[in-house]
Amino acid sequence: MMKLVKIAATLATLAAPAVAQDHEGLGDAAAGEDGFRRCQSCHVVQDDEGNTLAGRNGRVGPNLYGVVGRTAGTVEGFRYSSSMQAAGEAGLVWSADTLVPYLQDPTAFLREYLDDSGARGKMSFRVRSEEDAQDLAAFLATFSEETAEGGDAADDDTGDEAAAD
């Protein structure tokens, strides 16, 4: 009997990473939820009905509900930098490929995306490791209707710029 318990425990441990990675191409959403604590002083994840799903009502940055699949700089009522607005107008849509490098260095990302050495956003916080950025992106993707790899985009305007500008 004890042998069966050990086997079951081992299988459960091996399955845990697969459950945490709901969005292929991103990191561990559970770890990202833990990491989001650093973001909540500026950001909140609040659904269309006004329910706070993550964070503590931070309003310095935009609401991040539905950020994956959203065009950058499009949350109505949030005052984005001119560079973030230009990036959105140039076609920047948040996905695994765009969100992770943005979270690691927002200014460098915008400068490269816009090919403009003077481009700047409002977000100064930088996620130091790629793994942590992937985890945060996976966590934020759980609040989006799109898959992390670029499926159908959510079409509402309630959130943007993951941990953002």
Side-chain angles (χ1 to χ4, degrees):
M1 181 65 147
M2 184 58 101
K3 189 173 184 177
L4 285 175
V5 171
K6 286 181 181 179
I7 292 171
T10 302
L11 290 174
T13 302
L14 293 173
V19 171
Q21 293 181 351
D22 294 330
H23 298 280
E24 191 175 323
L26 296 178
D28 180 339
E33 180 177 14
D34 186 51
F36 187 75
R37 286 186 224 155
R38 295 175 290 168
C39 308
Q40 67 187 1
S41 60
C42 296
H43 295 280
V44 67
V45 178
Q46 193 171 63
D47 67 15
D48 295 335
E49 289 78 39
N51 300 309
T52 299
L53 307 174
R56 294 186 306 239
N57 254 354
R59 295 291 182 205
V60 174
N63 177 1
L64 299 178
Y65 182 75
V67 66
V68 174
R70 175 152 308 110
T71 300
T74 59
V75 175
E76 193 169 319
F78 185 79
R79 295 183 59 187
Y80 291 95
S81 69
S82 59
S83 296
M84 186 57 69
Q85 290 173 356
E89 290 167 3
L92 176 58
V93 174
W94 297 118
S95 69
D97 291 337
T98 57
L99 199 52
V100 171
Y102 176 80
L103 291 171
Q104 290 185 269
D105 192 341
T107 299
F109 176 84
L110 286 173
R111 288 178 177 175
E112 183 177 334
Y113 187 85
L114 294 170
D115 193 23
D116 176 357
S117 63
R120 293 196 58 83
K122 292 182 178 180
M123 187 169 117
S124 60
F125 181 80
R126 294 168 58 176
V127 175
R128 297 295 176 197
S129 81
E130 184 175 356
E131 181 179 349
D132 289 346
Q134 290 170 340
D135 293 346
L136 276 170
F139 174 65
L140 293 171
T142 66
F143 301 105
S144 298
E145 293 179 21
E146 172 182 302
T147 65
E149 291 301 310
D152 294 328
D155 199 30
D156 65 20
D157 280 342
T158 57
D160 200 350
E161 287 187 49
D165 225 66

